[in-house]
Amino acid sequence: MNIAETPPKILAADLLSRFVALVGEKNAITDRQAQAPYLTEPRDMFRGTSSVVLRPGSVAEVAAILKLANETSTAIVPQGGNTGLVGGQIPQHGEIVLALNRLDRVREVDPVSNTMTCEAGVTLLRAREAAAAADRLYPQLLPSEGSCTIGGNLSTNAGGTAALAYGIARSHALGIEVVLPDGRVLNALNKLKKDNTGYDLKDLFIGAEGTLGVITAAWCGSYRARAPLRPHLSAYLRRRRRSIYSGLRTSAPPAM
């Protein structure tokens, strides 16, 4: 399925080479066959075309790409784990694909403040594993946890199977790092939970799907992992439950 039948835009050779130089030829995919995983979504309902898929490995490279794109009026489509099912991450008109899966470092896990800093390309599974290693719980849970990314989840404000219990993606972000369309970097990484200063800028970008800027990292809140019940307490609760159920079964109906 294609959103529109307009012909895709083809980058001029000199402009294409300028973009390629920002990340190096190894991380600039121009071969159509190699581009295939970036140009269709999981259900194969949306397909796109692109002159190049850029895979930056640092925030500085993301900033340089957006700065050049802004100066040359070149359209960009950011992409995380490419797990979206509505085609928002697919280049429908020949846009450059900005794939963020190389930004995959967990920069810090801080069990004291119950936070961790994840780059945009960290998968949800890796974030949960990093939190669990520090006896913490990162509560968001999605069926695509092995491939969806923190940046993509925040950009789409993803929900998940634990949304009713713990909230959606926005609920877990204390701060973000985002590259603005002109290449400037807004560092709003903040693990202070009680922060009532000024505008809450992070919420402008969360859920904006890359239209206002590209999220490159986030301070994520976590919870203390729930300790299992002590054996004697667990046994006591089981006995009480059996006693209650037994009483309900043998009790006589109330007199009318």
Side-chain angles (χ1 to χ4, degrees), residues 16 19-21 23-31 52-55:
L16 176 61
F19 277 108
V20 170
V23 297
E25 292 186 4
K26 181 180 178 181
N27 295 303
I29 305 172
T30 55
D31 178 76
V52 63
V53 176
L54 300 177
R55 302 179 63 243

Side-chain angles (χ1 to χ4, degrees), residues 27 35 38-39 49-56 65 75-79 89-91 94-100:
N27 295 303
Q35 285 183 353
Y38 301 90
L39 302 183
T49 59
S50 179
S51 297
V52 63
V53 176
L54 300 177
R55 302 179 63 243
I65 291 168
I76 298 284
V77 172
Q79 189 178 104
Q89 76 279 21
I90 302 301
E95 301 93 338
I96 288 177
V97 175
L98 182 63
L100 298 168

Side-chain angles (χ1 to χ4, degrees), residues 100 103-106 118-124 126-127 148-151:
L100 298 168
L103 296 178
D104 61 352
R105 290 189 304 126
V106 178
C118 295
E119 293 185 340
V122 173
T123 64
L124 176 57
R126 280 193 59 213
C148 70
T149 61
I150 295 298

